[in-house]
């Protein structure tokens, strides 16, 4: 036998050698065991020789094999001296693998690693970023206190490295150094503060992790970086997202007031006796004032929402806990769908997610009720998952669904998994206590289970019935009799003890059965379990006090048996009961109250969820899973009563830079293209430096788009950004920054003062209509609307400042607008003269007007038609002529308005003064933002102005008066249906999904007949975009052309499909909720597509 085993060992050793790419030794020593060990020795010798070879290829091969050994969990520590010699190799591939090895073994072989420390220090200056980062990793892995100063210096240098990968490794090294020497904390905090300002997404997660490890209480370091972290969150790697979200959850709980206090305002209406009327009035004002969420609070909630679609379960769980702990109760519901999606993951993920759902479902049942069937138990589920699902089903049970759940539970009781079956019976008991309507049904069902063949099921049923009967004992004498008969067959100690306890409690209700049960139990007393013996003693005592004639001798017999029992608990209980119930000379005063003591009314047991008290732990943490505080757990603080000053999150703009930038405005006319792109960069920068929290939060989606377009290098290398900014930021940029600064200064004032300021602003004629547009939009509408309105205020202010210049430099402004962004179609199109500056267009490009879903994102127009419409003929207008056209740009005055540009011409030989609009006659709901009055228009002069009209998604006419100093002319604007749309960018998959939801009454179609040459892709595209402002959707089929848009007012999707059929026919299909607009658009498109 021993020979065989040695032979097997020898063979295994040889196989292992072959696996590592070495030839098995041909000579085998006489002993198989020694052969194995010598083979190992030979194998490592072979690797050592390869590492000492002069050829790089041999060294590289050896290092690959060694790293392979480490990956398989094999010990390669004895090769350390041979490997460490190659640390200075000039071959980068060998050097990388050597560093991988050293990171693994540097802590074990500290003395040898210290010999190469100068090499690591040199490698910190290596041109290759991977080598620099690896050297820092090795250095921080040598856990020797003597090199702490060297590590500290290396971390400081690496934190200023140009490569974000090296800076990321510096953040990792901070944690290692802190655990080695906590006294370095203050210096490390300085490095963390510096790295927190880093704009790279690669660094963000790692530095926040370092922050959490070293100084989680230093919230002040986060203030200035809060908005940047919120905006970078979507692009950070997944594990970084988890860390940042958990940190921001804690931050939000300290910096914002509770969003759960909406209904708490009107509780105490009583006036305090000593309070003055002014104080009372102030308090009532505060109570009446509705809760207004801090824009930074809203920014965090909005920017984490897309991460609910993450493929990483930890990220989804982190977002879910953030919503649970800091979002308004009305918004928490959106996490339920994402959590239910995670239940398709592996069992470990399911376990954690179900634990968190179990905690949530206790407080808010409504969140998970729609997904009830997702928590039904499957036969393949492990027991731990089954029991958690049962817990959730119990929490979600109510009068409406209890009948369905009880049918489900009946199936579970028959399960082969006995632990699960027992848990199901407990669940039925909890449902019976929680929902009084089904108590009797559950009880009768449990009684039926008493005849089950399975002992565990019967035993658990007995225990649950005992608890239910405690709640209403008087009604169920028959059940107690039935259970007494089961004593002969049930052997499970807990069940027998429960039956005896029930009979003892109700001995007066079953006077004939109780003494007989005691007689049977006296016979088998010595063979019973200790738990049962204790209950027999209790039953004897209770019967002795209530029916001493029949049971006096029996009880004394049982007390004598208990007196000499092996268990001291039973001997103790026997002495206690004897002294209490059997009177003698030594009996004290207690014996008088024996009956009251034994037969006192017992409180009914409270059947509660084991997850009831877990909600004080942060969801998704180890502490919540274990239900005990784990090491390193950081508790969530309570919401502050009064929000701390929000201005601490404002990022200051350095005054010196502003002075340097002002001359750069001269370069605006010389290099318009450069100006345009620098503006977009400035927009990207504003996520960090903007002090206005609303505009900050609003530009988030736009910035993501821009970041996606720009290269990674530009986003990582902050120095190049600062350089390009300082060279080409325009005067407009300066003004915008100045305005944002002024806003940040006023931010700390109270809300009442802000309201007064708003009222004073409305008195200015230029902002009257924009403020009315603001008032019309309700507070509950999405953030993007208020953002675009705040943007419009900035624009109107800029226009007022620039108005004198505008008349003079009109032609120059027009030349700046010849940009490809607005005309991607190859057909030549002459753009009319819009009165928008290039910087404003750059701003509008970044705006994302979508409010409904991630699918809808407004795109730039594919085509801008040249066609103008007559607003006022020169004959009717006494020399004043007006034409208007639709520039197909997002309206700067409100995101529900259609942008219209009006060109005014003075055809007379005299000056026309005070051109303005009045006498608006608009249908119900329609709104208009007029242009600022024009002081004068020179003879033969021309000027273009912008205005916005909210047509409420209808083609109704907007009537108003165009007035001069002397006359008023009635004019009207009726929009073509195609101009009530904004183009939308979406994928073919999203198009089909949305189209599938807009069928039936939401779909209109018609057949088009035309010559084949009219059905070429370019002709169809040109004709459709000429009629309607739609975006082109990429199509995988040659015969189908898809276009998508959304209505300007309501944001309803408008999906247009042109499907070519056989011959010269095609089908035009329009899907939209706005069926009236859809049918009008169909009528307009049909003749255009049909004609040649």
């Amino acid at each position: 036998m021993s020979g065989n085993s040695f032979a097997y060992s020898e063979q295994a050793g040889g196989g292992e050698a072959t696996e590592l790419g070495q030839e098995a030794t041909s000579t085998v020593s006489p002993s198989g065991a020694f052969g194995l060990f010598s083979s190992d020795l030979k194998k490592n010798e072979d690797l050592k020789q390869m590492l000492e070879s002069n050829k790089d290829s041999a060294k590289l091969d050896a290092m690959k094999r060694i790293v392979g050994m480490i990956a398989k969990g094999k010990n390669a520590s004895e090769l350390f001296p041979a490997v460490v010699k190659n640390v200075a190799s000039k071959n980068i591939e060998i050097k990388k693998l050597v560093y991988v090895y050293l990171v693994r073994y540097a802590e074990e072989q500290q003395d040898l690693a210290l010999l190469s420390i100068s090499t690591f220090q040199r490698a910190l200056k290596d041109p290759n970023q991977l080598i620099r980062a690896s050297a820092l990793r090795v250095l921080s892995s040598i856990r020797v206190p003597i090199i702490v100063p060297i590590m500290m210096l290396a971390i400081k240098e690496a934190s200023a490295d140009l490569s974000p990968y090296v800076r990321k490794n510096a953040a990792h090294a901070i944690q290692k150094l802190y655990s080695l020497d906590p006294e370095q904390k203050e210096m490390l905090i300085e490095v963390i503060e510096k790295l927190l300002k880093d704009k790279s997404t690669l660094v963000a997660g790692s530095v926040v992790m370092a922050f959490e490890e070293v100084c989680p209480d230093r919230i002040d370091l986060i203030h200035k970086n809060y908005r940047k972290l919120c905006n970078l969150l979507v692009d950070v790697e997944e594990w970084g997202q988890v860390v940042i979200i958990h940190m921001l959850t804690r931050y939000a709980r300290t910096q914002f007031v509770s969003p759960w206090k909406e209904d708490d305002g009107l509780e105490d209406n009583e006036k305090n006796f000593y309070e003055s009327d002014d104080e009372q009035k102030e308090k009532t004002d505060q109570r009446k004032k509705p809760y207004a969420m801090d824009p930074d609070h809203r920014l965090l909630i909005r920017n984490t929402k897309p991460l609910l679609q993450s493929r990483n379960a930890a990220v989804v769980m982190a977002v879910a806990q953030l919503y649970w702990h800091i979002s308004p109760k009305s918004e928490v519901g959106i996490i339920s769908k994402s959590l239910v999606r995670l239940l398709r993951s592996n069992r470990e993920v399911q376990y954690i997610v179900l634990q968190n759902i179990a905690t949530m479902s206790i407080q808010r049942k409504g969140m998970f009720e729609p997904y009830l069937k997702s928590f039904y138990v499957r036969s393949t589920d492990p027991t731990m998952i089954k029991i958690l699902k049962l817990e959730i089903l119990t929490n979600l049970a109510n009068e409406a669904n209890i009948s369905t759940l009880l049918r489900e539970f009946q199936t579970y009781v028959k399960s082969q998994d006995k632990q699960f079956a027992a848990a199901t019976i407990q669940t039925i008991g909890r449902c019976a206590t929680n929902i009084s309507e089904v108590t009797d049904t559950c009880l009768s069902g449990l009684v039926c289970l008493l005849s089950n063949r399975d002992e565990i099921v019967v035993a658990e049923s007995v225990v649950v019935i005992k608890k239910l009967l405690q709640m209403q004992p008087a009604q169920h004498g028959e059940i107690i009799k039935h259970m007494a008969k089961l004593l002969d067959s049930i052997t499970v100690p807990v069940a027998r003890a429960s039956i005896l306890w029930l009979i003892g409690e109700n001995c007066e209700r079953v006077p004939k059965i109780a003494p007989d049960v005691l007689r049977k139990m006296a016979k088998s007393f010595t063979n019973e379990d200790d738990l049962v013996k204790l209950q027999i003693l209790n039953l004897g005592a209770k019967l002795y006090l209530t029916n001493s004639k029949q049971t006096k001798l029996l009880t004394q017999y049982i007390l004598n048996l208990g007196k000499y029992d092996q268990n001291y608990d039973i001997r103790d209980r026997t002495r206690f009961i004897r002294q209490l119930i059997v009177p003698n000379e030594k009996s004290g005063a207690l014996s008088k109250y024996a009956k009251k003591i034994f037969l006192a009314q017992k409180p009914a047991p409270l059947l509660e969820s084991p997850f009831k008290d877990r909600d004080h732990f942060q969801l998704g943490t180890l502490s919540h899973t274990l239900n005990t505080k784990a090491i390193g757990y950081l508790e969530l603080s309570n919401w502050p009563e009064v929000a701390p000053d929000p201005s601490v999150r404002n990022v200051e703009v350095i005054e010196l830079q502003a002075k340097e930038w002002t001359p750069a405005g001269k370069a605006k006319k010389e290099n318009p293209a450069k100006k345009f792109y620098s503006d977009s960069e400035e927009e990207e920068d504003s996520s960090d430096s903007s002090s206005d929290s609303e505009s900050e939060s609003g530009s988030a989606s736009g910035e993501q788009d821009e970041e996606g377009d720009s290269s990674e290098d530009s986003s990582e290398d902050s120095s190049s950004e600062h350089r390009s900014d300082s060279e080409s930021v325009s005067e407009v940029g300066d003004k915008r920054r100045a305005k944002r600064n002024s806003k940040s200064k006023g931010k700390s004032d109270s809300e009442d003062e802000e309201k007064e300021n708003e009222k004073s602003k409305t008195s200015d004629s230029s902002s009257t209509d924009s403020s009315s547009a603001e008032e019309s939009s309700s507070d509950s509408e999405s953030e993007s609307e208020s953002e675009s309105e705040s943007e419009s205020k900035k624009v109107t202010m800029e226009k007022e400042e620039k108005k004198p210049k505008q008349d003079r430099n009109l032609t120059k402004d027009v030349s700046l607008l010849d940009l490809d962004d607005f005309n991607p179609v190859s057909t030549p199109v002459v753009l009319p003269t819009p009165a928008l500056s290039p910087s404003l267009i750059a701003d509008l490009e970044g705006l994302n007007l979508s409010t409904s879903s991630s699918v809808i994102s407004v795109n730039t127009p594919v085509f801008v038609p040249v066609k103008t419409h007559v607003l006022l003929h020169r004959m009717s207008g006494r020399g004043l002529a007006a034409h208007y056209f639709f520039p197909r740009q997002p309206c700067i005055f409100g995101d529900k308005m259609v942008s219209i540009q009006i060109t005014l011409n003075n055809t007379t030989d005299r000056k026309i003064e005070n051109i303005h609009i009045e006498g608006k006659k608009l249908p119900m709901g329609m709104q208009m933002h007029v242009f600022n009055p024009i002081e004068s228009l020179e003879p033969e002069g021309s000027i273009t102005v912008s205005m916005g009209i909210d047509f409420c998604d209808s083609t109704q006419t907007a009537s108003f008066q165009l007035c001069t100093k002397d006359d008023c002319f009635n004019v009207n604007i009726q929009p073509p249906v195609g101009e009530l749309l904004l183009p939308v960018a979406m994928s073919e998959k999203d198009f089909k999904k949305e189209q599938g939801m807009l069928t039936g009454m939401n779909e209109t179609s018609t057949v088009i007949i035309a010559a084949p040459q009219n059905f070429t892709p370019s002709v169809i595209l040109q004709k459709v975009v000429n009629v309607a402002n739609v975006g082109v959707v990429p199509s995988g089929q040659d015969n189908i052309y898809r276009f998508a848009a959304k209505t300007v007012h309501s944001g309803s999707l408008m999906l247009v499909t042109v499907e070519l059929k056989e011959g010269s026919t095609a089908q035009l299909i329009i899907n939209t909720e706005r069926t009236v607009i859809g049918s009008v658009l169909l009528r307009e498109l049909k003749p255009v597509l049909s004609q040649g």
Side-chain angles (χ1 to χ4, degrees), residues 581-751:
I581 64 171
V582 182
N584 55 27
E585 303 83 35
K586 293 180 182 177
S587 293
L590 270 180
S591 58
K592 297 175 188 175
Y593 306 104
K595 193 167 184 176
K596 285 185 179 179
I597 290 169
F598 277 102
L599 298 171
Q601 192 71 34
K602 313 292 191 297
L606 200 60
L607 300 177
E608 285 184 339
S609 167
F611 289 87
K612 191 184 179 194
D613 299 324
R614 288 200 189 189
D615 56 349
H616 62 275
F617 290 116
Q618 188 175 350
L619 294 185
T621 57
L622 179 64
S623 300
H624 176 267
T625 304
L626 301 176
N627 198 20
T628 183
K629 190 173 179 180
I631 296 170
Y633 172 72
L634 300 167
E635 288 187 359
L636 282 178
S637 59
N638 294 322
W639 293 102
E641 287 297 318
V642 180
D645 181 15
S647 64
V648 293
R649 289 183 289 280
N650 295 340
V651 181
E652 297 169 8
V653 178
I654 300 167
E655 291 295 329
L656 181 64
Q657 287 181 332
K659 288 175 187 174
E660 289 173 2
W661 288 344
T662 42
K666 294 174 186 175
K668 181 173 72 171
K669 294 169 187 174
E670 295 166 13
N671 195 351
K674 188 174 180 183
K675 162 71 189 70
F676 180 85
Y677 289 111
S678 67
D679 256 35
S680 67
E681 280 181 14
E682 182 191 351
E683 190 69 18
E684 198 171 326
D685 258 0
S686 70
S687 66
D688 305 325
S689 61
S690 164
S691 58
D692 178 12
S693 54
E694 278 189 55
S695 64
E696 160 67 26
S697 61
S699 62
S701 56
E703 283 165 15
Q704 287 165 19
D705 294 341
E706 288 168 5
E707 282 177 13
D709 294 338
S710 62
S711 65
E712 287 182 13
D713 293 329
S714 64
S715 64
E716 288 168 0
D717 192 357
S718 57
S719 63
S720 65
E721 280 184 4
H722 288 305
R723 194 161 56 248
S724 64
D725 281 354
S726 63
E727 283 169 7
S728 58
V729 172
S730 67
E731 292 170 356
V732 178
D734 283 340
K735 287 174 185 173
R736 280 166 50 207
R737 285 171 185 266
K739 281 171 190 166
R740 288 178 179 171
N741 273 342
S742 64
K743 279 192 181 181
S744 69
K745 287 171 187 172
K747 199 80 175 174
S748 59
D749 297 336
S750 66
E751 288 185 19

Side-chain angles (χ1 to χ4, degrees), residues 698 701-702 705 784 787 844-851 856-858:
S701 56
D705 294 341
S784 63
E787 288 148 19
L844 292 173
E845 282 290 299
L847 280 177
N848 183 0
L849 300 181
S850 69
T851 56
I856 302 176
S857 59
V858 176

Side-chain angles (χ1 to χ4, degrees), residues 450-466:
L450 294 176
S451 55
N452 196 296
R453 290 180 185 175
D454 196 325
E455 213 171 67
I456 294 174
V457 171
V458 176
E460 200 63 47
S461 302
V462 168
V463 174
V464 173
I465 288 171
K466 170 207 148 191

Side-chain angles (χ1 to χ4, degrees), residues 390-445:
L390 270 180
E391 182 63 41
I392 293 165
L393 289 173
T394 313
N395 292 341
L396 298 181
N398 55 34
E399 292 84 351
N401 59 28
I402 188 63
S403 55
T404 313
L405 290 179
L406 286 178
R407 280 200 300 276
E408 192 74 15
F409 293 157
Q410 281 175 8
T411 315
Y412 299 165
V413 168
K414 298 169 189 170
S415 169
Q416 295 299 312
D417 185 345
K418 301 306 170 197
Q419 188 184 347
F420 172 53
T424 305
I425 293 166
Q426 290 176 6
T427 298
I428 294 170
R430 273 180 59 198
C431 289
T433 56
N434 295 340
I435 304 166
S436 54
E437 287 85 347
V438 293
T439 305
D440 293 336
T441 314
C442 292
L443 201 51
S444 57

